[in-house]
Amino acid sequence: RCYDNIIAYCNELCYKGVLKPMRGTVKPNALLPSMGYLHIEGKCRDVLGSKQNDLEAKVIVGWIITHYKKLKEAYNEKPLKDIVAVVTPFREQARKIEEYLMIPRDKRLKDELSHITVGTVHSLQGAEREVVLFSPTYSRHNNGSFIDRDKSMLNVAVSRAKDSFLVFGDMSLFNIKSLSPTGILAKYLFEKEDNKMSYTYQDLLQSD
């Protein structure tokens, strides 16, 4: 179900090349890169035994709102909940993202946003979406190793994406010289210049 370079990451991380890619490569005119990233200068903080990055949550929701119509058009007007999901390692970050998804006043948009799956990797276990957004939450101010402790976390998160796996966060966390899960992911994210996305954050209250 995944484009070849998406599943190639999982192959390298967990499966020693056993998985056979069947989908092919992303189309040249695709809306989004198959492996992309948006650097965000957010700040991670400890909240109720979990982690939270407020700016990262705002930018993710702002990006979804800004690209809402294009995503719907690209996928034949499917419900947004069947196109996009947001994955994060931390429950408090998921809660913050869900909170911001409820801000728009436009009823139709708010209804679509309210049904998007947001949660830890377990929330997408056995499921798939065209586009998966990953919120690492950590930043250079609070850089932990939780994401790299278990290969299955990023393996599940990445393999849920059929067309695009997009990282929204502090890209200094992804060290291409490391053999850790995030380090291997960095190799795929930084492989092409086109994988770097640009987005000017807009105030959520004005984005409806």
Side-chain angles (χ1 to χ4, degrees):
R1 63 169 178 260
C2 308
Y3 279 124
D4 289 3
N5 64 328
I6 295 178
I7 205 63
Y9 167 73
C10 301
N11 241 341
E12 182 172 348
L13 180 68
C14 293
Y15 302 108
K16 299 181 179 179
V18 171
L19 297 178
K20 184 178 179 181
M22 302 291 289
R23 179 87 184 277
T25 56
V26 65
K27 298 175 183 177
N29 61 344
L31 176 63
L32 300 166
S34 55
M35 296 286 270
Y37 66 93
L38 181 70
H39 176 65
I40 301 170
E41 291 279 355
K43 187 171 184 179
C44 176
R45 62 191 184 96
D46 298 318
V47 178
L48 300 174
S50 184
K51 305 286 183 186
Q52 195 175 90
N53 188 318
D54 188 66
L55 180 60
E56 199 168 290
K58 285 181 177 177
V59 173
I60 286 170
V61 174
W63 184 92
I64 293 172
I65 292 171
T66 300
H67 291 81
Y68 163 69
K69 291 182 179 178
K70 288 184 178 179
L71 287 165
K72 295 274 289 183
E73 289 171 3
Y75 292 103
N76 300 313
E77 299 300 322
K78 287 172 61 175
L80 198 59
K81 68 179 179 65
D82 296 333
I83 301 171
V84 176
V86 184
V87 178
T88 176
F90 302 104
R91 65 179 184 276
E92 282 302 310
Q93 182 69 352
R95 188 193 63 76
K96 179 57 68 173
I97 293 168
E98 288 178 328
E99 176 186 316
Y100 286 135
L101 284 170
M102 297 305 296
I103 285 180
R105 292 183 290 271
D106 180 275
K107 290 183 179 180
R108 180 181 176 185
L109 174 59
K110 189 171 184 175
D111 182 64
E112 289 252 29
L113 295 174
S114 69
H115 290 92
I116 293 175
T117 297
V118 181
T120 62
V121 292
H122 305 293
S123 66
L124 275 181
Q125 192 84 39
E128 59 189 44
R129 295 291 188 279
E130 264 75 20
V131 181
V132 172
L133 280 56
F134 182 69
S135 174
T137 309
Y138 283 127
S139 68
R140 64 196 68 195
H141 316 88
N142 189 334
N143 184 1
S145 60
F146 181 63
I147 300 173
D148 285 324
R149 288 180 194 168
D150 185 353
K151 291 181 180 180
S152 67
M153 179 182 295
L154 277 175
N155 179 51
V156 171
V158 174
S159 64
R160 300 307 94 187
K162 295 171 65 178
D163 291 0
S164 297
F165 179 80
L166 310 175
V167 176
F168 284 68
D170 188 337
M171 300 312 295
S172 70
L173 302 171
F174 296 82
N175 180 3
I176 199 168
K177 296 180 180 179
S178 170
L179 295 178
S180 66
T182 54
I184 297 171
L185 181 59
K187 183 176 75 171
Y188 289 86
L189 294 174
F190 303 147
E191 182 180 28
K192 298 177 182 178
E193 186 68 28
D194 291 347
N195 290 350
K196 182 179 180 180
M197 302 188 301
S198 61
Y199 169 67
T200 301
Y201 171 65
Q202 300 174 28
D203 189 287
L204 292 173
L205 295 175
Q206 301 176 13
S207 299
D208 55 357

